[in-house]
Amino acid sequence: AALGEVHARPFQLVEPPRLYLHLAFATDADEAAADRVAFTALCRSLGAAGPGPETKHLRVPILGGHLGWEQHSEFTTYTFETPRLGPGLPPHPFGSGFRQPGPLIAAVRLELMPAPAVLEDGLAGLDPVSLCVSRVGDGGAVAATDFRQDADGFTVIRVFAADLTPARAGALVQRLLEIETYRTFALLGLPEAQRLAPAVRRIEQGLTATSDAMRVSRGLDDDRRLLDELTTLAAQLEADAAASAY
């Protein structure tokens, strides 16, 4: 079972040009179960076998490309891959009956293309204020993004392949899609961290004051009062930790 999981979602061997539309949805157990039923129906409408009861990853041909489906513990992803890079594709080419399985968390439009003669030509349309450009794959490619959403709500990543084998290109694409997905999911904790920050500061200040008072404690009554203060601080900390741990 462990070996099967390791090999269940290998990267694909790809060459430019390629376009990837990647959507990640937060899904609980009920939403994931309902999505499995819906995806099975979509597969059958395409003449393909749907996922088995234990299948978590599947790739099926669709619209001249392939649709990858993955279910994880907390989210479900749909990734459409096509050799077409031009305009005209809908925001999600999964059929008019598609219903997202849960809240949309990440949407990525990744374009894999040959390296342009002048790199700046390939960066046209990206916001220069937030532009991030990196050489990757031991210099075999350049990845660029401005972390902005396009008109369809996708974060655009462009990969210019100069010297990549199909295997390295496929691995790079998979890693970039996963980085953007997990980067967005990690940011879901930011509002909760911001909400808890004032409480954490109050607890820190209270602990400092109590620690200072312990150095000059005068008798049993003072010790009892300080113990009560420490117990209250500990209770507040444990309550906030329990509420935000997951």
Side-chain angles (χ1 to χ4, degrees):
L3 287 175
E5 182 65 21
V6 168
H7 296 290
R9 49 189 302 273
F11 53 81
Q12 303 300 314
L13 305 182
V14 299
E15 295 181 352
R18 280 289 191 282
L19 170 65
Y20 297 83
L21 300 177
H22 176 79
L23 302 174
F25 305 94
T27 48
D28 58 23
D30 292 338
E31 290 168 333
D35 179 66
R36 180 179 291 272
V37 173
F39 180 68
T40 298
L42 173 62
C43 289
R44 290 174 178 170
S45 72
L46 298 171
E54 302 299 325
T55 302
K56 297 180 180 179
H57 318 283
L58 194 63
R59 188 169 180 262
V60 296
I62 180 175
L63 297 175
H66 288 87
L67 175 62
W69 171 87
E70 297 182 11
Q71 276 199 343
H72 300 265
S73 300
E74 301 168 1
F75 63 94
T76 299
T77 64
Y78 282 76
T79 306
F80 176 66
E81 170 203 342
T82 176
R84 292 188 292 159
L85 285 179
L89 285 174
H92 64 77
F94 314 140
S96 59
F98 177 76
R99 296 293 181 270
Q100 65 183 57
L104 178 64
I105 301 300
V108 187
R109 178 188 176 98
L110 189 150
E111 302 168 352
L112 174 66
M113 60 190 75
V118 179
L119 178 59
E120 285 71 15
D121 293 342
L123 304 179
L126 298 179
D127 187 348
V129 175
S130 58
L131 181 62
C132 176
V133 182
S134 299
R135 293 197 177 277
V136 293
D138 294 327
V142 171
T145 182
D146 59 5
F147 300 102
R148 307 284 189 187
Q149 290 182 320
D150 65 9
D152 293 320
F154 285 82
T155 299
V156 177
I157 300 176
R158 295 177 186 168
V159 179
F160 307 108
D163 183 23
L164 288 181
T165 65
R168 293 176 66 197
L172 176 59
V173 166
Q174 180 171 297
R175 288 168 184 165
L176 289 172
L177 292 177
E178 290 180 348
I179 286 172
E180 179 61 19
T181 299
Y182 283 103
R183 181 184 76 88
T184 308
F185 268 90
L187 288 173
L188 294 181
L190 180 59
E192 182 70 2
Q194 292 171 330
R195 183 187 71 81
L196 288 172
V200 172
R201 282 195 295 270
R202 287 195 299 269
I203 292 172
E204 289 177 339
Q205 292 166 356
L207 180 59
T208 299
T210 302
S211 298
D212 289 341
M214 290 172 64
R215 295 186 299 174
V216 294
S217 175
R218 298 291 188 271
L220 186 59
D221 289 340
D222 276 355
D223 289 346
R224 286 172 174 167
R225 177 180 57 80
L226 293 173
L227 180 59
D228 287 343
E229 291 176 0
L230 285 173
T231 302
T232 300
L233 290 174
Q236 293 172 351
L237 182 62
E238 288 296 328
D240 286 339
S244 61
Y246 185 68

